[in-house]
Amino acid sequence: MIDLRLLREEPELFRAGQRRRGESPDKVDELLRADESRRAATQRFEAVRAEQKSLGKQVAKASGDERAALLARTKELAAEVKTAEAEATAADEALRKAHLAVPNLVQEGVPEGGEDDFVVLREVGELPAIDSPKDHLEIGEALGAIDTERGAKVSGSRFYFLTGVGALLQLALFNMAIAQAVEHGFIPSITPSLVRPESMEGTGFLGAHASEVYRLEADDLFLVGTSEVPLAAYHSNEILDLSAGPERFAGWSTCYRREAGSHGKDVRGILRVHQFDKVEMFSFCKPEDAVAEHQRLVAMEEEMLAKVEIPYRVIDVATGDLGSSASRKFDCEAWVPSQGRYREVTSTSNCTTFQARRLNIRYRDEDGKPQTAATLNGTLATTRWLIPILENHQQPDGSVRVPKALQPFLGGREVLEPTAKTAANA
RNA sequence: GGAGGGCUCGCCUAGUGGCCGAUGGCGCCGGUCUUGAAAACCGGUAUGGGGAAACUCAUCGUGGGUUCGAAUCCCACGCCCUCCGCCA
């Protein structure tokens, strides 16, 4: 939710923001009107309510004819109050709807356009020279690491088993991510994967992405698509102490996505799946620190990518491809040799105060007054990372070299060898 | 699945129809005292909306109802806790 005070003062700022996103500025004007009629309705209600209260006090003291006369008047008022209140409530609801419809203000400098109009900020690392590279699934199957056939048998398409070194590799990667997060002052956390509707709603995932979300109808709970949801909701309706700096979390959770509308896209292997694991960073900070915090999160992601020795590029996502909460988004895309292109492996968004306003997350400023906090999120590692790791480090004999930084987390293993016969096939 | 208890201002708590936005304690902030601190004492200390301001309105888990008037009475729901059963 955007800042209504700022909207009243500088509506043009938000109209321009809508145009930059490629959306109509009409929503901004609708919001302005809703805001105005809510204030008018509120004032009408408050006026009659104030009268009712003061007359009510007189009734308590009065007696006899005086009391009877007052009662007659207050009875009329009671009806007026009731209608005025109903109108105020309706105006409130209308404002809320209009408020939710306006996305966050886009940060200065974000490239304009759609999905393909991102700007490449930098490319890091040398692309490996691999003759006819095998893809991650072929490598993974030879290593006895990935089993999509049985995943499909047991759970359906876009499901998989990680087995043997596949399971170990993911655990190693995630442990390395958590270790790095702890080293940088993030609070390691393991979060719920099922959340209540208000948590889902508060983080904005029931808006445009509602069809992406699994819902357990019998219990009215949602399966999260990212631990951003529980981490953001963690401090909902709280006033934080940010005097010592941002509060940072690294949450490890399983993530679930319906992948509705992506039928036939990226169907091979584990690139696009219904269930995966992820370590997600999440920061609560003061709004003035958000831009610096965003850079910090990108730096964390790049540190991880450097550790697994994968070539990547960082892109500045264009306005039309931003989520409604984000003011700016940087993605890191890893080189995938079998596809000869970069694929997204991390994404970090600066949500400024947009998400926190909706979740009612505040902090106290120097004067002790509550102010809306800023929130940011970013990926530190996911199951998808196994793809560039396996592919970039594949060797002609079918083995896979383990990046140095990862070796301690794999019991010192330097190479993953193919198994003639995997345990699963035995 | 069954039975019971609870939900009030950071925490604990008082409050059974008007004098209640709400008591007291703890904590926190400021002051007095002190070389300094502690103790003691004094004062302050919820959030949001509207208003230039004076001020005003809302909020006692949520939503409805009764009433001129509800933290307080009635109904429904939510959540938390305990016990029993079942499962792990």
Side-chain angles (χ1 to χ4, degrees):
Chain A
M1 288 171 145
I2 61 165
D3 184 349
L4 283 182
R5 286 174 197 276
L6 187 60
L7 172 71
R8 279 175 219 150
E9 285 164 24
E10 301 188 53
E12 195 43 47
L13 195 64
F14 290 92
R15 290 191 195 103
Q18 284 295 86
R19 287 186 211 105
R20 290 183 64 204
R21 276 183 182 263
E23 291 185 37
S24 162
D26 292 351
K27 282 181 184 166
V28 170
D29 289 290
E30 277 166 37
L31 176 54
L32 275 169
R33 279 195 294 277
D35 179 47
E36 231 180 275
S37 53
R38 186 203 63 121
R39 278 186 292 162
T42 300
Q43 280 174 33
R44 280 195 298 274
F45 163 64
E46 287 186 0
V48 284
R49 178 71 173 144
E51 193 184 348
Q52 183 189 39
K53 281 178 88 164
S54 82
L55 282 183
K57 280 187 181 145
Q58 292 174 43
V59 170
K61 291 185 213 127
S63 57
D65 288 348
E66 196 191 348
R67 189 184 169 92
L70 278 171
L71 276 180
R73 171 65 187 137
T74 48
K75 271 192 181 169
E76 277 172 42
L77 253 184
E80 283 176 45
V81 168
K82 207 166 183 174
T83 31
E85 183 173 19
E87 280 166 19
T89 306
D92 249 341
E93 199 36 55
L95 172 65
R96 190 182 149 70
K97 263 182 97 178
H99 205 171
L100 289 173
V102 177
N104 200 0
L105 203 53
V106 173
Q107 196 178 311
E108 210 55 49
V110 175
E112 286 187 39
E115 197 177 344
D116 302 321
D117 296 309
F118 58 83
V119 166
V120 177
L121 296 176
R122 55 190 166 272
E123 297 192 21
V124 179
E126 295 245 331
L127 303 189
I130 305 171
D131 286 334
S132 51
K134 297 184 194 122
D135 82 355
H136 74 277
L137 186 55
E138 195 177 344
I139 301 165
E141 283 176 341
L143 295 177
I146 302 173
D147 187 341
T148 54
E149 278 181 36
R150 289 196 177 87
K153 177 177 81 177
V154 173
S155 299
S157 71
R158 295 197 192 281
F159 284 94
Y160 57 95
F161 284 74
L162 292 182
T163 53
V165 293
L168 295 177
L169 187 58
Q170 172 165 299
L171 287 169
L173 177 70
F174 282 30
N175 280 325
M176 186 170 81
I178 290 288
Q180 181 185 309
V182 168
E183 193 186 310
H184 284 86
F186 288 70
I187 300 166
S189 24
I190 293 169
T191 65
S193 289
L194 285 165
V195 298
R196 294 194 188 161
E198 55 264 40
S199 302
M200 209 65 189
E201 184 137 46
T203 43
F205 283 94
L206 291 185
H209 297 289
S211 64
E212 267 298 290
V213 175
Y214 284 105
R215 174 165 180 229
L216 301 187
E217 198 151 352
D219 301 284
D220 201 17
L221 288 169
F222 291 90
L223 281 160
V224 300
T226 162
S227 57
E228 175 191 343
V229 174
L231 288 173
Y234 184 80
H235 277 315
S236 61
N237 297 313
E238 290 183 24
I239 299 178
L240 312 180
D241 181 5
L242 295 177
S243 58
E247 194 174 326
R248 304 182 173 101
F249 290 87
W252 179 333
S253 80
T254 301
C255 306
Y256 301 87
R257 300 190 181 179
R258 293 186 64 231
E259 293 298 343
S262 60
H263 304 295
K265 203 168 153 189
D266 298 323
V267 285
R268 186 174 158 82
I270 58 168
L271 184 65
R272 191 179 293 278
V273 288
H274 288 308
Q275 175 183 333
F276 58 96
D277 291 87
K278 180 155 74 112
V279 177
E280 176 85 354
M281 300 177 283
F282 197 90
S283 299
F284 300 90
C285 69
K286 299 177 185 175
E288 62 265 31
D289 297 335
V291 168
E293 186 67 10
H294 202 193
Q295 290 303 324
R296 192 185 176 99
L297 296 187
V298 185
M300 288 288 289
E301 295 174 349
E302 294 194 59
E303 187 179 331
M304 277 295 291
L305 285 160
K307 282 177 179 167
V308 293
E309 300 169 35
I310 289 170
Y312 66 93
R313 68 181 185 184
V314 184
I315 67 168
D316 195 351
V317 174
T319 53
D321 202 21
L322 290 177
S324 66
S325 303
S327 71
R328 190 168 211 166
K329 179 157 92 173
F330 300 120
D331 286 359
C332 290
E333 299 182 326
W335 180 251
V336 177
S338 68
Q339 298 191 2
R341 62 176 175 136
Y342 291 99
R343 298 300 306 248
E344 178 187 331
V345 285
T346 75
S347 182
T348 175
S349 294
N350 177 358
C351 295
T352 64
T353 57
F354 189 88
Q355 189 176 55
R357 188 166 291 109
R358 187 183 250 207
L359 286 164
N360 191 27
I361 302 168
R362 292 169 294 172
Y363 70 98
R364 290 195 191 278
D365 64 16
E366 287 72 15
D367 303 325
K369 289 193 109 174
Q371 303 287 355
T372 303
T375 59
L376 300 96
N377 61 77
T379 320
L380 206 50
T382 72
T383 302
R384 186 184 272 186
W385 283 45
L386 301 187
I387 297 169
I389 291 174
L390 292 176
E391 291 199 14
N392 282 282
H393 301 309
Q394 64 179 295
Q395 306 192 87
D397 64 357
S399 67
V400 172
R401 189 177 63 80
V402 178
K404 242 198 163 53
L406 205 48
Q407 289 172 10
F409 295 94
L410 263 174
R413 268 172 108 147
E414 294 173 16
V415 71
L416 307 177
E417 303 279 359
T419 45
K421 226 177 191 184
T422 67
N425 280 331

PDB file of all heavy atoms in Angstrom, chain A residues 81-96:
ATOM      1  N   VAL A  81     -26.812   8.095  13.719  1.00  0.00           N
ATOM      2  CA  VAL A  81     -25.462   7.558  13.954  1.00  0.00           C
ATOM      3  C   VAL A  81     -25.291   6.242  13.217  1.00  0.00           C
ATOM      4  O   VAL A  81     -24.262   5.983  12.596  1.00  0.00           O
ATOM      5  CB  VAL A  81     -25.215   7.366  15.465  1.00  0.00           C
ATOM      6  CG1 VAL A  81     -23.956   6.537  15.711  1.00  0.00           C
ATOM      7  CG2 VAL A  81     -25.091   8.717  16.148  1.00  0.00           C
ATOM      8  N   LYS A  82     -26.327   5.435  13.261  1.00  0.00           N
ATOM      9  CA  LYS A  82     -26.247   4.120  12.646  1.00  0.00           C
ATOM     10  C   LYS A  82     -26.017   4.225  11.130  1.00  0.00           C
ATOM     11  O   LYS A  82     -25.158   3.537  10.578  1.00  0.00           O
ATOM     12  CB  LYS A  82     -27.545   3.360  12.924  1.00  0.00           C
ATOM     13  CG  LYS A  82     -27.332   1.861  12.918  1.00  0.00           C
ATOM     14  CD  LYS A  82     -28.528   1.160  13.527  1.00  0.00           C
ATOM     15  CE  LYS A  82     -28.260  -0.327  13.568  1.00  0.00           C
ATOM     16  NZ  LYS A  82     -29.299  -1.069  14.256  1.00  0.00           N
ATOM     17  N   THR A  83     -26.785   5.086  10.481  1.00  0.00           N
ATOM     18  CA  THR A  83     -26.580   5.226   9.032  1.00  0.00           C
ATOM     19  C   THR A  83     -25.231   5.846   8.732  1.00  0.00           C
ATOM     20  O   THR A  83     -24.522   5.407   7.821  1.00  0.00           O
ATOM     21  CB  THR A  83     -27.672   6.097   8.366  1.00  0.00           C
ATOM     22  OG1 THR A  83     -28.115   7.072   9.296  1.00  0.00           O
ATOM     23  CG2 THR A  83     -28.824   5.268   7.864  1.00  0.00           C
ATOM     24  N   ALA A  84     -24.870   6.873   9.508  1.00  0.00           N
ATOM     25  CA  ALA A  84     -23.588   7.541   9.257  1.00  0.00           C
ATOM     26  C   ALA A  84     -22.438   6.557   9.438  1.00  0.00           C
ATOM     27  O   ALA A  84     -21.465   6.571   8.679  1.00  0.00           O
ATOM     28  CB  ALA A  84     -23.422   8.732  10.196  1.00  0.00           C
ATOM     29  N   GLU A  85     -22.572   5.693  10.422  1.00  0.00           N
ATOM     30  CA  GLU A  85     -21.505   4.722  10.666  1.00  0.00           C
ATOM     31  C   GLU A  85     -21.409   3.723   9.520  1.00  0.00           C
ATOM     32  O   GLU A  85     -20.321   3.374   9.074  1.00  0.00           O
ATOM     33  CB  GLU A  85     -21.746   3.997  11.996  1.00  0.00           C
ATOM     34  CG  GLU A  85     -20.616   3.040  12.328  1.00  0.00           C
ATOM     35  CD  GLU A  85     -20.732   2.444  13.714  1.00  0.00           C
ATOM     36  OE1 GLU A  85     -21.830   2.466  14.292  1.00  0.00           O
ATOM     37  OE2 GLU A  85     -19.696   1.950  14.209  1.00  0.00           O
ATOM     38  N   ALA A  86     -22.577   3.282   9.061  1.00  0.00           N
ATOM     39  CA  ALA A  86     -22.596   2.333   7.945  1.00  0.00           C
ATOM     40  C   ALA A  86     -21.940   2.957   6.717  1.00  0.00           C
ATOM     41  O   ALA A  86     -21.173   2.305   6.003  1.00  0.00           O
ATOM     42  CB  ALA A  86     -24.028   1.923   7.639  1.00  0.00           C
ATOM     43  N   GLU A  87     -22.222   4.238   6.496  1.00  0.00           N
ATOM     44  CA  GLU A  87     -21.618   4.926   5.351  1.00  0.00           C
ATOM     45  C   GLU A  87     -20.113   5.053   5.509  1.00  0.00           C
ATOM     46  O   GLU A  87     -19.349   4.859   4.565  1.00  0.00           O
ATOM     47  CB  GLU A  87     -22.255   6.315   5.181  1.00  0.00           C
ATOM     48  CG  GLU A  87     -23.603   6.255   4.471  1.00  0.00           C
ATOM     49  CD  GLU A  87     -24.390   7.558   4.614  1.00  0.00           C
ATOM     50  OE1 GLU A  87     -23.766   8.598   4.933  1.00  0.00           O
ATOM     51  OE2 GLU A  87     -25.617   7.510   4.415  1.00  0.00           O
ATOM     52  N   ALA A  88     -19.700   5.365   6.724  1.00  0.00           N
ATOM     53  CA  ALA A  88     -18.262   5.504   6.981  1.00  0.00           C
ATOM     54  C   ALA A  88     -17.554   4.171   6.780  1.00  0.00           C
ATOM     55  O   ALA A  88     -16.467   4.104   6.201  1.00  0.00           O
ATOM     56  CB  ALA A  88     -18.035   6.033   8.393  1.00  0.00           C
ATOM     57  N   THR A  89     -18.180   3.102   7.236  1.00  0.00           N
ATOM     58  CA  THR A  89     -17.588   1.778   7.075  1.00  0.00           C
ATOM     59  C   THR A  89     -17.477   1.405   5.596  1.00  0.00           C
ATOM     60  O   THR A  89     -16.450   0.871   5.155  1.00  0.00           O
ATOM     61  CB  THR A  89     -18.440   0.718   7.804  1.00  0.00           C
ATOM     62  OG1 THR A  89     -18.597   1.139   9.165  1.00  0.00           O
ATOM     63  CG2 THR A  89     -17.781  -0.636   7.765  1.00  0.00           C
ATOM     64  N   ALA A  90     -18.533   1.714   4.850  1.00  0.00           N
ATOM     65  CA  ALA A  90     -18.528   1.404   3.418  1.00  0.00           C
ATOM     66  C   ALA A  90     -17.440   2.210   2.710  1.00  0.00           C
ATOM     67  O   ALA A  90     -16.725   1.699   1.844  1.00  0.00           O
ATOM     68  CB  ALA A  90     -19.896   1.710   2.811  1.00  0.00           C
ATOM     69  N   ALA A  91     -17.308   3.483   3.104  1.00  0.00           N
ATOM     70  CA  ALA A  91     -16.287   4.340   2.487  1.00  0.00           C
ATOM     71  C   ALA A  91     -14.889   3.825   2.809  1.00  0.00           C
ATOM     72  O   ALA A  91     -13.976   3.869   1.980  1.00  0.00           O
ATOM     73  CB  ALA A  91     -16.453   5.776   2.969  1.00  0.00           C
ATOM     74  N   ASP A  92     -14.741   3.313   4.018  1.00  0.00           N
ATOM     75  CA  ASP A  92     -13.469   2.724   4.450  1.00  0.00           C
ATOM     76  C   ASP A  92     -13.097   1.538   3.575  1.00  0.00           C
ATOM     77  O   ASP A  92     -11.961   1.395   3.132  1.00  0.00           O
ATOM     78  CB  ASP A  92     -13.625   2.205   5.892  1.00  0.00           C
ATOM     79  CG  ASP A  92     -12.819   3.028   6.874  1.00  0.00           C
ATOM     80  OD1 ASP A  92     -11.901   3.733   6.430  1.00  0.00           O
ATOM     81  OD2 ASP A  92     -13.118   2.966   8.075  1.00  0.00           O
ATOM     82  N   GLU A  93     -14.084   0.697   3.372  1.00  0.00           N
ATOM     83  CA  GLU A  93     -13.872  -0.511   2.581  1.00  0.00           C
ATOM     84  C   GLU A  93     -13.530  -0.158   1.130  1.00  0.00           C
ATOM     85  O   GLU A  93     -12.641  -0.752   0.527  1.00  0.00           O
ATOM     86  CB  GLU A  93     -15.144  -1.380   2.657  1.00  0.00           C
ATOM     87  CG  GLU A  93     -14.961  -2.829   2.285  1.00  0.00           C
ATOM     88  CD  GLU A  93     -13.631  -3.423   2.716  1.00  0.00           C
ATOM     89  OE1 GLU A  93     -13.285  -3.370   3.917  1.00  0.00           O
ATOM     90  OE2 GLU A  93     -12.916  -3.930   1.827  1.00  0.00           O
ATOM     91  N   ALA A  94     -14.234   0.842   0.610  1.00  0.00           N
ATOM     92  CA  ALA A  94     -13.976   1.279  -0.761  1.00  0.00           C
ATOM     93  C   ALA A  94     -12.552   1.837  -0.884  1.00  0.00           C
ATOM     94  O   ALA A  94     -11.852   1.585  -1.866  1.00  0.00           O
ATOM     95  CB  ALA A  94     -14.992   2.340  -1.182  1.00  0.00           C
ATOM     96  N   LEU A  95     -12.148   2.561   0.141  1.00  0.00           N
ATOM     97  CA  LEU A  95     -10.790   3.112   0.132  1.00  0.00           C
ATOM     98  C   LEU A  95      -9.767   1.987   0.147  1.00  0.00           C
ATOM     99  O   LEU A  95      -8.780   2.007  -0.587  1.00  0.00           O
ATOM    100  CB  LEU A  95     -10.589   4.019   1.357  1.00  0.00           C
ATOM    101  CG  LEU A  95      -9.151   4.505   1.564  1.00  0.00           C
ATOM    102  CD1 LEU A  95      -8.721   5.408   0.410  1.00  0.00           C
ATOM    103  CD2 LEU A  95      -8.995   5.231   2.887  1.00  0.00           C
ATOM    104  N   ARG A  96     -10.010   1.001   0.979  1.00  0.00           N
ATOM    105  CA  ARG A  96      -9.076  -0.111   1.089  1.00  0.00           C
ATOM    106  C   ARG A  96      -8.906  -0.814  -0.254  1.00  0.00           C
ATOM    107  O   ARG A  96      -7.804  -1.131  -0.673  1.00  0.00           O
ATOM    108  CB  ARG A  96      -9.597  -1.094   2.150  1.00  0.00           C
ATOM    109  CG  ARG A  96      -8.600  -2.158   2.514  1.00  0.00           C
ATOM    110  CD  ARG A  96      -9.162  -3.145   3.529  1.00  0.00           C
ATOM    111  NE  ARG A  96      -8.577  -4.455   3.324  1.00  0.00           N
ATOM    112  CZ  ARG A  96      -7.309  -4.767   3.593  1.00  0.00           C
ATOM    113  NH1 ARG A  96      -6.501  -3.862   4.095  1.00  0.00           N
ATOM    114  NH2 ARG A  96      -6.831  -5.971   3.362  1.00  0.00           N
TER     115      ARG A  96
END
